[in-house]
Amino acid sequence: MLFLKKGLVIIIGSISLSLGINLFLTPYEILDGGVVGLALILHYLYKLKIGLMIIILSIPIFIIAWFKYRAYFYNSVHGLIGSSFIIDLLKPVRNLIEIDAVYSAILGGILVGFGIGLMLRFQTSTGGTDLIAQFLCDKTGINVGVLIFFIDSIVIVFGGFLLSSSTLLLSIITVLVVGITTSIVTSGNPH
């Protein structure tokens, strides 16, 4: 039963994440933080598939997880593959909605944050920089949330520099909304 529940959570979370990215972030070249943000930068610059890039960029992180955090590896590999596949599968929905860029950044952030938060609530995730942050937290004692925010900020500034100032400003809004939404969804977490 737990396996079915986790599978359903990965599907719902991945769809939410994918809709947030495809409907609201990509039309305005908005970034999320972390590995997804790096994959979006590669997509905007070179038209590479977002989901495929997420998997490729995550390989070194999952190698670390295999040796250092085996439970994390098992809990995240399904979320990584599921969400990456659904992100590329839902690419056709990209131009279905046309709204102002700021609203797009907010709605995209809510959907991405909900997807991530839902998966985290059930001890699964898409992997990515959460693991790097956890690894650094273990080594330094710095709060994992602070580390994730720091990593996301580097990705967004880097992307804003490569793409545009509007990308930077809209991405800041998105990352803040993702963080708030993820916190709301994971608060009161029974685990």
Side-chain angles (χ1 to χ4, degrees), residues 19 38 59 70 81 185 189:
L19 289 174
L38 292 172
I59 290 170
R70 193 65 58 94
I81 293 166
V185 174
N189 195 342

Side-chain angles (χ1 to χ4, degrees), residues 26 34 51 57 75 96-97 106 112-113 126 138 148 164 178:
T26 54
L57 292 167
N75 285 330
L96 284 183
I97 298 175
I106 293 166
V112 170
T126 56
D138 292 350
I148 290 171
S164 70
V178 167

Side-chain angles (χ1 to χ4, degrees), residues 155-172:
V155 170
I156 286 170
V157 170
F158 177 66
F161 179 74
L162 288 173
L163 297 162
S164 70
S165 56
S166 71
T167 290
L168 178 63
L169 296 172
L170 292 167
S171 301
I172 290 168

Side-chain angles (χ1 to χ4, degrees), residues 69 72 129-139 144 147:
Y69 301 95
Y72 182 94
T129 42
D130 302 0
L131 176 70
I132 295 171
Q134 188 61 58
F135 185 70
L136 291 171
C137 171
D138 292 350
K139 297 280 181 230
V144 71
L147 289 164

Side-chain angles (χ1 to χ4, degrees), residues 45-124:
L45 293 175
Y46 306 110
K47 299 291 174 244
L48 299 170
K49 287 188 172 191
I50 300 165
L52 182 63
M53 289 304 99
I54 292 170
I55 290 174
I56 291 169
L57 292 167
S58 295
I59 290 170
I61 297 166
F62 275 84
I63 290 170
I64 294 169
W66 179 257
F67 292 108
K68 299 268 184 194
Y69 301 95
R70 193 65 58 94
Y72 182 94
F73 177 89
Y74 288 122
N75 285 330
S76 300
V77 74
H78 305 101
L80 168 74
I81 293 166
S83 63
S84 297
F85 175 74
I86 292 173
I87 287 167
D88 287 345
L89 186 72
L90 293 181
K91 184 184 176 191
V93 305
R94 279 203 189 146
N95 299 312
L96 284 183
I97 298 175
E98 274 190 45
I99 56 171
D100 187 69
V102 174
Y103 297 127
S104 207
I106 293 166
L107 290 170
I110 290 169
L111 284 170
V112 170
F114 177 78
I116 292 169
L118 184 67
M119 287 196 262
L120 287 173
R121 196 174 169 99
F122 289 88
Q123 268 71 61
T124 187

Side-chain angles (χ1 to χ4, degrees), residues 17 26 41 51 63 149 184:
L17 182 73
T26 54
I41 292 168
I63 290 170
F149 181 75
I184 291 167

